[in-house]
Amino acid sequence: MTDTLHLSHLIDGERVGSDRPGESHNPSDTNDVVALTPDAGDSEVNDAVAAAKAAFPAWSEASPELRADVLDKAGTLVMERREQLGRLLSREEGKTLPEGIGETARAGRILKYFAGEALRLHGQNLPSTRPGVEIQTYRQAVGVYGLITPWNFPIAIPAWKAAPALAFGNTVVMKPAGLTPATAAALADILVEAGLPKGVFNLVIGRGGVGQALVDHKDVAGISFTGSQGVGMGVLQGAAKRQARVQLEMGGKNPLIVLDDADIERAVMVALDGSFFATGQRCTASSRLIVTDGIHDKFVAALAEKVAALRVGNALDPNTQIGPAVSEAQMETSYKYIQIAREDGGRLVTGGDRPQLETPGWYVQPTLIADTAPTMRINTEEVFGPVASTIRVKDYEEALHVANDTEFGLAAGIVTTSLKHARDFQRRAKAGMTMVNLPTAGVDYHVPFGGTKSSSYGAREQGFAAFEFYTQTKTSYSWS
């Protein structure tokens, strides 16, 4: 157990205290209070937005080199402190310590990547249809962005939202997830330490009302949200009412197809990684394993053996492979869907138990359920836990149909040695990201991220695509 942190809002460069009615608990040991947390209201949100609005002119007009230097230094500090920050992340969110350190390092690299992007905003010189007239296009900052971030990647997602916003000259008010505020607060501290001027980045901690206040605020030019589909639809409607920019990432029910010609060891590794690591709490996790008849039984048996051997335990224990769910509610959601799947006719192959460990925590035994139908709730609703189901199909065409028959469309994968099927899958899979012989969970930070259908809305996140959401194009005509 480590000392309890006392968190504050960051508004206009100052730590702002308030009543602390909330507590953040360690999901590996619920007796451990990670942080005492403030709960912002309209007053704090208004002050944070006002500070960001006041800071916008100077920050947006500053040299891009200045912005690059701040982000680069912040990235260096995150990388230097990745073990300390990763331990805090694992203590607060429940990822294993290697996963927590790895995510922290990713956040550092994201900050450094966008330090470079600050200097790479491109425009165009275009000929006019009128003699003597010249046309230029260039990108400008938009204004204040409200960033609403989730608990499952509590430092990487705040970094990949804040870094491009700041790099391109915008100012930020961030509302972190209520379950993981300490990790976001640590990132805010580093941005300040790196030299970010006051008011450019603001952090308000609180419950759902804080996010809604940002969505509704007249001076917030854009909202970037990652979270559930239901909340995301409310964010979209609220932003649309006042014509604010909006970007949504809302999860998935991601398929992994395994064909008869697959390398069985590769297929098992891909499914194990994509379905169960990070406790299955990844929007890109492989929750539907669609397996052709000729390899189905062999694949299920081999995967079940690996799943049963996974060691569930305290996130900070170096021997742990699967940490706890982030909260009691998330733990109970996993067990609810396991029960629903069994009642609907699914066969419990391995898992489903409630581990009893030395410390009280929100643990879920990794679970594999076979003999499910595509229409079962286990295959249509997002569980967001270490639970995967298999669907038996006769051939590739049926597999592709089942994979695409969902309201979600974030990531989709296939394991095959057939170049024909791999290329066809890349073209025809109805998902924003496709993986061939790789886990659906696991993406690079320098390329676009996003899905189709109900998984995503608006411009892509991350990489070179981020400028589309965080800048606006100006077209300039001149006659000489």
Side-chain angles (χ1 to χ4, degrees):
M1 190 177 296
T2 311
D3 291 343
T4 299
L5 302 174
H6 293 254
L7 303 183
S8 302
H9 312 294
L10 176 65
I11 300 175
D12 202 21
E14 301 294 331
R15 290 295 173 190
V16 177
S18 66
D19 294 336
R20 304 183 188 277
E23 294 182 349
S24 170
H25 287 260
N26 180 349
S28 295
D29 180 359
T30 56
N31 294 321
D32 176 21
V33 179
V34 177
L36 300 178
T37 61
D39 189 13
D42 288 347
S43 175
E44 288 85 359
V45 172
N46 289 337
D47 289 347
V49 173
K53 183 179 179 181
F56 174 73
W59 182 247
S60 62
E61 294 168 10
S63 166
E65 190 171 58
L66 184 152
R67 299 197 294 267
D69 287 348
V70 170
L71 290 174
D72 184 68
K73 183 175 180 181
T76 296
L77 292 172
V78 169
M79 294 293 288
E80 289 175 349
R81 301 172 190 174
R82 60 186 177 273
E83 293 193 10
Q84 172 191 344
L85 293 168
R87 180 170 289 275
L88 172 62
L89 190 160
S90 295
R91 179 185 170 211
E92 183 176 49
E93 193 270 349
K95 278 186 171 72
T96 65
L97 186 56
E99 289 170 338
I101 294 171
E103 181 187 333
T104 303
R106 179 187 180 92
R109 293 188 179 100
I110 289 168
L111 291 163
K112 284 183 167 293
Y113 172 85
F114 281 107
E117 289 297 280
L119 297 163
R120 294 194 192 100
L121 275 181
H122 297 289
Q124 292 179 305
N125 288 321
L126 299 168
S128 172
T129 58
R130 294 167 288 175
V133 176
E134 294 183 352
I135 304 171
Q136 294 84 36
T137 69
Y138 51 97
R139 292 275 177 171
Q140 290 185 312
V142 177
V144 178
Y145 276 84
L147 309 181
I148 304 172
T149 63
W151 49 259
N152 63 323
F153 285 90
I155 194 167
I157 291 181
W160 90 38
K161 290 183 187 296
L166 297 172
F168 302 142
N170 302 287
T171 54
V172 166
V173 179
M174 179 177 288
K175 187 268 180 199
L179 292 171
T180 54
T183 307
L187 176 62
D189 288 341
I190 284 177
L191 288 169
V192 171
E193 184 179 346
L196 206 62
K198 68 176 187 177
V200 171
F201 180 92
N202 305 272
L203 184 76
V204 285
I205 299 170
R207 289 170 283 190
V210 175
Q212 191 62 52
L214 283 173
V215 170
D216 294 338
H217 202 291
K218 65 181 180 62
D219 291 327
V220 174
I223 295 286
S224 182
F225 166 86
T226 298
S228 70
Q229 192 177 34
V231 176
M233 288 299 99
V235 171
L236 173 59
Q237 292 167 4
K241 284 180 182 177
R242 55 184 192 82
Q243 297 181 305
R245 291 184 170 212
V246 64
Q247 175 188 68
L248 310 174
E249 293 296 341
M250 299 174 289
K253 193 67 184 173
N254 307 296
L256 176 69
I257 294 172
V258 181
L259 297 184
D260 284 356
D261 63 17
D263 178 322
I264 187 71
E265 291 185 4
R266 182 75 186 177
V268 168
M269 182 280 290
V270 166
L272 189 73
D273 184 318
S275 300
F276 299 102
F277 288 115
T279 320
Q281 296 176 148
R282 298 182 284 190
C283 55
T284 51
S286 310
S287 53
R288 294 184 295 145
L289 307 178
I290 303 167
V291 189
T292 49
D293 188 65
I295 200 174
H296 179 274
D297 292 349
K298 182 179 180 182
F299 170 80
V300 169
L303 178 60
E305 182 179 355
K306 295 291 186 182
V307 173
L310 291 172
R311 188 178 187 279
V312 178
N314 190 305
L316 299 179
D317 183 336
N319 295 314
T320 293
Q321 294 172 289
I322 304 293
V326 71
S327 67
E328 183 177 17
Q330 202 62 40
M331 175 189 72
E332 292 299 342
T333 294
S334 290
Y335 286 118
K336 180 187 77 171
Y337 277 100
I338 292 169
Q339 183 62 29
I340 289 171
R342 298 182 72 180
E343 291 173 354
D344 287 347
R347 174 171 61 91
L348 182 64
V349 182
T350 187
D353 299 323
R354 294 176 180 260
Q356 300 299 316
L357 304 178
E358 292 182 2
T359 54
W362 295 309
Y363 297 103
V364 180
Q365 191 69 35
T367 301
L368 179 64
I369 302 168
D371 302 333
T372 69
T375 56
M376 289 181 181
R377 288 180 64 187
I378 192 66
N379 291 320
T380 61
E381 300 174 13
E382 190 174 31
V383 178
F384 224 65
V387 181
S389 53
T390 69
I391 303 170
R392 186 193 298 262
V393 294
K394 64 179 183 295
D395 56 22
Y396 169 72
E397 286 297 331
E398 184 181 2
L400 183 64
H401 171 76
V402 171
N404 286 336
D405 189 19
T406 173
E407 64 179 310
F408 295 102
L410 184 55
I414 188 170
V415 186
T416 180
T417 54
S418 166
L419 180 61
K420 172 186 174 182
H421 287 139
R423 291 289 181 256
D424 185 78
F425 173 80
Q426 289 176 318
R427 290 190 300 269
R428 295 171 61 198
K430 296 178 181 177
M433 298 177 288
T434 61
M435 282 72 170
V436 176
N437 297 323
L438 290 166
T440 57
V443 296
D444 290 352
Y445 57 84
H446 66 296
V447 295
F449 178 97
T452 63
K453 297 186 278 188
S454 295
S455 286
S456 301
Y457 182 90
R460 289 289 188 252
E461 292 199 273
Q462 292 203 113
F464 56 82
F467 76 89
E468 295 175 1
F469 182 65
Y470 291 106
T471 67
Q472 56 192 350
T473 299
K474 177 171 283 187
T475 304
S476 179
Y477 295 86
S478 60
W479 177 80
S480 59

